[in-house]
Amino acid sequence: MKPLQQPTQDREALQELGRASVQIIHDLKNQLNGLKLYATFLRKRHERGGERQPDELETVCKIAAGLERTAEDMAVLVRFGRPLELRRAPHVDLAGLLRTAAGQAATPDVGDGSFRGEFDAEALAAALRDITAVLRGADSGGDSDATISLRREEPGGPAVIEWGGLQSEVGAASPFDTFAGSAGLRMAQAARVVRAHGGSVEHAAGTVGVRLPLSQ
């Protein structure tokens, strides 16, 4: 008789969601308190009347950016709490997804050969984008030597994506399991998407990696 795994898995998922929710709610409260201060500043300035000041536009932009970030954090929490349903398609170009995820701030070093596989392009692109953004944000205080590369582990083997040269202490703990606020939740959701594609995530000092199966 096989042991029942589902209840244990459900409990673990609920525990992870609970840990993540506590961190996210803490972050959201800090963001909303900051927005309240900005709004109070504008209200008092408006009550005093007089000529509009140049810094008012900057304050409004900060409020808008804060609201956008809060909405994004809530969306990530909702996505993490829902069952993951992939819509895979054949012959999706992983190199193209990675270039899109890297954006204008970095150009991935892509090796030779084909990097096509059966992927959910939208979900995987979002996962790669979140990993890139979180690592780039965590490393913002260090040198700008961070790199992104894509290669095949061996002929006919899986694709390996590496974010290397990171100055932050990535090796201290897995960035995919910290659940430290919205950044940690984004990394956990990204790992979830990668694993659902039959891939894996890994980390070492100064390096974060993702492995994904490709079409033969």
Side-chain angles (χ1 to χ4, degrees):
M1 189 172 180
K2 294 183 179 180
L4 296 176
Q5 298 292 334
Q6 191 61 41
T8 300
Q9 293 173 353
D10 289 344
R11 284 196 298 271
E12 291 176 352
L14 287 173
Q15 288 173 354
E16 290 179 350
L17 183 58
R19 288 165 51 199
S21 299
V22 170
Q23 293 286 347
I24 287 289
I25 290 171
H26 178 74
D27 286 354
L28 292 178
K29 287 175 65 177
N30 288 339
Q31 292 175 38
L32 292 174
N33 284 337
L35 295 176
K36 182 179 179 181
L37 288 175
Y38 287 134
T40 301
F41 166 78
L42 285 179
R43 177 178 58 80
K44 290 182 177 180
R45 175 73 64 80
H46 182 74
E47 288 174 349
R48 288 197 299 268
E51 187 176 347
R52 291 285 181 267
Q53 300 297 317
D55 59 355
E56 288 190 8
L57 178 59
E58 180 183 355
T59 303
V60 171
C61 291
K62 289 180 178 179
I63 292 175
L67 290 172
E68 183 177 355
R69 180 185 170 190
T70 301
E72 289 175 353
D73 288 350
M74 289 181 175
V76 172
L77 186 59
V78 169
R79 287 201 305 271
F80 189 81
R82 288 176 175 169
L84 185 59
E85 297 179 358
L86 298 181
R87 294 180 174 86
R88 300 192 192 192
H91 311 302
V92 176
D93 183 19
L94 181 59
L97 297 183
L98 184 60
R99 290 188 181 100
T100 300
Q104 298 179 350
T107 302
D109 179 13
V110 178
D112 297 330
S114 172
F115 294 94
R116 296 186 178 275
E118 188 175 327
F119 303 128
D120 182 324
E122 183 177 354
L124 189 54
L128 298 176
R129 183 173 60 249
D130 282 345
I131 293 173
T132 302
V134 169
L135 294 178
R136 188 175 292 158
D139 206 47
S140 60
D143 300 330
S144 56
D145 295 333
T147 60
I148 306 175
S149 64
L150 170 64
R151 59 181 174 82
R152 292 196 83 141
E153 190 170 42
E154 57 188 28
V160 179
I161 304 173
E162 285 187 346
W163 290 260
L166 303 172
Q167 301 299 314
S168 54
E169 296 182 2
V170 174
S174 172
F176 298 102
D177 299 320
T178 63
F179 293 95
S182 61
L185 188 60
R186 279 175 166 79
M187 294 293 281
Q189 176 68 4
R192 188 180 176 206
V193 171
V194 169
R195 289 167 180 148
H197 280 90
S200 62
V201 297
E202 58 189 35
H203 76 285
T207 303
V208 167
V210 163
R211 278 178 167 76
L212 286 162
L214 298 174
S215 303
Q216 298 299 322

PDB file of all heavy atoms in Angstrom, residues 4 18 20 22 32 40 56 67 99 107 114 132 140 168 184 186 192 198:
ATOM      1  N   LEU A   4       0.317   7.918   1.581  1.00  0.00           N
ATOM      2  CA  LEU A   4      -0.408   9.073   1.061  1.00  0.00           C
ATOM      3  C   LEU A   4       0.509  10.294   1.066  1.00  0.00           C
ATOM      4  O   LEU A   4       0.926  10.759   2.117  1.00  0.00           O
ATOM      5  CB  LEU A   4      -1.657   9.344   1.915  1.00  0.00           C
ATOM      6  CG  LEU A   4      -2.729   8.234   1.903  1.00  0.00           C
ATOM      7  CD1 LEU A   4      -3.842   8.591   2.858  1.00  0.00           C
ATOM      8  CD2 LEU A   4      -3.273   8.047   0.490  1.00  0.00           C
ATOM      9  N   GLY A  18       1.988  30.474   3.750  1.00  0.00           N
ATOM     10  CA  GLY A  18       1.848  31.258   4.974  1.00  0.00           C
ATOM     11  C   GLY A  18       3.086  32.070   5.278  1.00  0.00           C
ATOM     12  O   GLY A  18       2.998  33.255   5.621  1.00  0.00           O
ATOM     13  N   ALA A  20       5.354  33.043   3.135  1.00  0.00           N
ATOM     14  CA  ALA A  20       5.483  34.092   2.123  1.00  0.00           C
ATOM     15  C   ALA A  20       4.492  35.220   2.378  1.00  0.00           C
ATOM     16  O   ALA A  20       4.824  36.400   2.219  1.00  0.00           O
ATOM     17  CB  ALA A  20       5.263  33.496   0.728  1.00  0.00           C
ATOM     18  N   VAL A  22       3.226  36.310   5.193  1.00  0.00           N
ATOM     19  CA  VAL A  22       3.654  37.168   6.305  1.00  0.00           C
ATOM     20  C   VAL A  22       4.665  38.199   5.819  1.00  0.00           C
ATOM     21  O   VAL A  22       4.584  39.392   6.138  1.00  0.00           O
ATOM     22  CB  VAL A  22       4.248  36.316   7.443  1.00  0.00           C
ATOM     23  CG1 VAL A  22       4.919  37.210   8.479  1.00  0.00           C
ATOM     24  CG2 VAL A  22       3.158  35.487   8.104  1.00  0.00           C
ATOM     25  N   LEU A  32       2.706  50.957   1.793  1.00  0.00           N
ATOM     26  CA  LEU A  32       1.513  51.795   1.955  1.00  0.00           C
ATOM     27  C   LEU A  32       1.769  52.923   2.951  1.00  0.00           C
ATOM     28  O   LEU A  32       1.241  54.035   2.784  1.00  0.00           O
ATOM     29  CB  LEU A  32       0.336  50.927   2.411  1.00  0.00           C
ATOM     30  CG  LEU A  32      -0.168  49.930   1.355  1.00  0.00           C
ATOM     31  CD1 LEU A  32      -1.232  49.014   1.951  1.00  0.00           C
ATOM     32  CD2 LEU A  32      -0.726  50.666   0.139  1.00  0.00           C
ATOM     33  N   THR A  40       0.124  62.655   2.393  1.00  0.00           N
ATOM     34  CA  THR A  40      -0.057  63.664   3.442  1.00  0.00           C
ATOM     35  C   THR A  40       0.729  64.932   3.117  1.00  0.00           C
ATOM     36  O   THR A  40       0.249  66.050   3.318  1.00  0.00           O
ATOM     37  CB  THR A  40       0.386  63.099   4.799  1.00  0.00           C
ATOM     38  OG1 THR A  40      -0.385  61.934   5.096  1.00  0.00           O
ATOM     39  CG2 THR A  40       0.188  64.126   5.907  1.00  0.00           C
ATOM     40  N   GLU A  56       6.363  68.557  -6.425  1.00  0.00           N
ATOM     41  CA  GLU A  56       5.072  67.903  -6.343  1.00  0.00           C
ATOM     42  C   GLU A  56       4.937  66.811  -7.405  1.00  0.00           C
ATOM     43  O   GLU A  56       4.397  65.735  -7.140  1.00  0.00           O
ATOM     44  CB  GLU A  56       3.946  68.927  -6.485  1.00  0.00           C
ATOM     45  CG  GLU A  56       3.807  69.816  -5.260  1.00  0.00           C
ATOM     46  CD  GLU A  56       2.551  70.659  -5.310  1.00  0.00           C
ATOM     47  OE1 GLU A  56       1.718  70.433  -6.211  1.00  0.00           O
ATOM     48  OE2 GLU A  56       2.400  71.538  -4.452  1.00  0.00           O
ATOM     49  N   LEU A  67       2.254  52.456  -5.824  1.00  0.00           N
ATOM     50  CA  LEU A  67       1.007  51.726  -6.045  1.00  0.00           C
ATOM     51  C   LEU A  67       1.202  50.603  -7.054  1.00  0.00           C
ATOM     52  O   LEU A  67       0.660  49.499  -6.895  1.00  0.00           O
ATOM     53  CB  LEU A  67      -0.086  52.691  -6.529  1.00  0.00           C
ATOM     54  CG  LEU A  67      -0.601  53.686  -5.492  1.00  0.00           C
ATOM     55  CD1 LEU A  67      -1.526  54.699  -6.143  1.00  0.00           C
ATOM     56  CD2 LEU A  67      -1.339  52.954  -4.368  1.00  0.00           C
ATOM     57  N   ARG A  99      16.647  36.468 -23.792  1.00  0.00           N
ATOM     58  CA  ARG A  99      16.978  37.834 -24.234  1.00  0.00           C
ATOM     59  C   ARG A  99      15.885  38.818 -23.817  1.00  0.00           C
ATOM     60  O   ARG A  99      16.165  39.937 -23.381  1.00  0.00           O
ATOM     61  CB  ARG A  99      17.170  37.857 -25.743  1.00  0.00           C
ATOM     62  CG  ARG A  99      18.430  37.135 -26.231  1.00  0.00           C
ATOM     63  CD  ARG A  99      18.660  37.374 -27.710  1.00  0.00           C
ATOM     64  NE  ARG A  99      19.841  36.662 -28.187  1.00  0.00           N
ATOM     65  CZ  ARG A  99      19.801  35.507 -28.840  1.00  0.00           C
ATOM     66  NH1 ARG A  99      18.615  34.927 -29.085  1.00  0.00           N
ATOM     67  NH2 ARG A  99      20.914  34.923 -29.244  1.00  0.00           N
ATOM     68  N   THR A 107      23.091  41.708 -22.074  1.00  0.00           N
ATOM     69  CA  THR A 107      23.004  40.883 -23.274  1.00  0.00           C
ATOM     70  C   THR A 107      23.501  39.485 -22.934  1.00  0.00           C
ATOM     71  O   THR A 107      24.688  39.300 -22.647  1.00  0.00           O
ATOM     72  CB  THR A 107      23.857  41.469 -24.414  1.00  0.00           C
ATOM     73  OG1 THR A 107      23.412  42.800 -24.695  1.00  0.00           O
ATOM     74  CG2 THR A 107      23.747  40.615 -25.661  1.00  0.00           C
ATOM     75  N   SER A 114      20.871  24.828 -31.148  1.00  0.00           N
ATOM     76  CA  SER A 114      19.457  25.118 -30.948  1.00  0.00           C
ATOM     77  C   SER A 114      19.101  25.041 -29.468  1.00  0.00           C
ATOM     78  O   SER A 114      19.611  24.201 -28.734  1.00  0.00           O
ATOM     79  CB  SER A 114      18.592  24.124 -31.733  1.00  0.00           C
ATOM     80  OG  SER A 114      17.228  24.275 -31.408  1.00  0.00           O
ATOM     81  N   THR A 132      16.079  37.339 -13.089  1.00  0.00           N
ATOM     82  CA  THR A 132      17.027  38.377 -13.508  1.00  0.00           C
ATOM     83  C   THR A 132      16.840  39.657 -12.709  1.00  0.00           C
ATOM     84  O   THR A 132      17.811  40.250 -12.221  1.00  0.00           O
ATOM     85  CB  THR A 132      16.856  38.668 -15.013  1.00  0.00           C
ATOM     86  OG1 THR A 132      17.056  37.461 -15.757  1.00  0.00           O
ATOM     87  CG2 THR A 132      17.847  39.718 -15.486  1.00  0.00           C
ATOM     88  N   SER A 140      22.749  45.250  -6.751  1.00  0.00           N
ATOM     89  CA  SER A 140      22.893  46.640  -7.178  1.00  0.00           C
ATOM     90  C   SER A 140      23.994  47.377  -6.426  1.00  0.00           C
ATOM     91  O   SER A 140      24.542  48.355  -6.931  1.00  0.00           O
ATOM     92  CB  SER A 140      21.559  47.376  -6.992  1.00  0.00           C
ATOM     93  OG  SER A 140      21.153  47.343  -5.627  1.00  0.00           O
ATOM     94  N   SER A 168      26.604  39.760  -4.457  1.00  0.00           N
ATOM     95  CA  SER A 168      25.860  39.486  -3.226  1.00  0.00           C
ATOM     96  C   SER A 168      26.147  38.068  -2.762  1.00  0.00           C
ATOM     97  O   SER A 168      26.615  37.217  -3.517  1.00  0.00           O
ATOM     98  CB  SER A 168      24.355  39.658  -3.471  1.00  0.00           C
ATOM     99  OG  SER A 168      23.945  38.859  -4.563  1.00  0.00           O
ATOM    100  N   GLY A 184      11.815  37.211  -2.581  1.00  0.00           N
ATOM    101  CA  GLY A 184      11.902  35.790  -2.300  1.00  0.00           C
ATOM    102  C   GLY A 184      10.739  35.017  -2.889  1.00  0.00           C
ATOM    103  O   GLY A 184      10.904  33.893  -3.386  1.00  0.00           O
ATOM    104  N   ARG A 186       9.022  35.859  -5.570  1.00  0.00           N
ATOM    105  CA  ARG A 186       9.233  35.807  -7.018  1.00  0.00           C
ATOM    106  C   ARG A 186      10.205  34.683  -7.390  1.00  0.00           C
ATOM    107  O   ARG A 186      10.004  33.959  -8.365  1.00  0.00           O
ATOM    108  CB  ARG A 186       9.766  37.143  -7.526  1.00  0.00           C
ATOM    109  CG  ARG A 186       8.693  38.198  -7.730  1.00  0.00           C
ATOM    110  CD  ARG A 186       9.296  39.548  -8.131  1.00  0.00           C
ATOM    111  NE  ARG A 186       8.291  40.445  -8.628  1.00  0.00           N
ATOM    112  CZ  ARG A 186       7.456  41.145  -7.874  1.00  0.00           C
ATOM    113  NH1 ARG A 186       7.538  41.038  -6.555  1.00  0.00           N
ATOM    114  NH2 ARG A 186       6.551  41.948  -8.401  1.00  0.00           N
ATOM    115  N   ARG A 192       9.316  27.217  -9.130  1.00  0.00           N
ATOM    116  CA  ARG A 192       8.138  26.373  -9.328  1.00  0.00           C
ATOM    117  C   ARG A 192       7.842  26.173 -10.809  1.00  0.00           C
ATOM    118  O   ARG A 192       7.547  25.058 -11.262  1.00  0.00           O
ATOM    119  CB  ARG A 192       6.958  27.044  -8.616  1.00  0.00           C
ATOM    120  CG  ARG A 192       5.683  26.256  -8.532  1.00  0.00           C
ATOM    121  CD  ARG A 192       4.659  27.103  -7.807  1.00  0.00           C
ATOM    122  NE  ARG A 192       3.353  26.487  -7.753  1.00  0.00           N
ATOM    123  CZ  ARG A 192       2.219  27.176  -7.646  1.00  0.00           C
ATOM    124  NH1 ARG A 192       2.253  28.495  -7.595  1.00  0.00           N
ATOM    125  NH2 ARG A 192       1.063  26.553  -7.597  1.00  0.00           N
ATOM    126  N   GLY A 198      10.063  20.352 -15.919  1.00  0.00           N
ATOM    127  CA  GLY A 198      11.012  19.250 -15.840  1.00  0.00           C
ATOM    128  C   GLY A 198      12.437  19.706 -15.611  1.00  0.00           C
ATOM    129  O   GLY A 198      13.379  18.921 -15.778  1.00  0.00           O
TER     130      GLY A 198
END
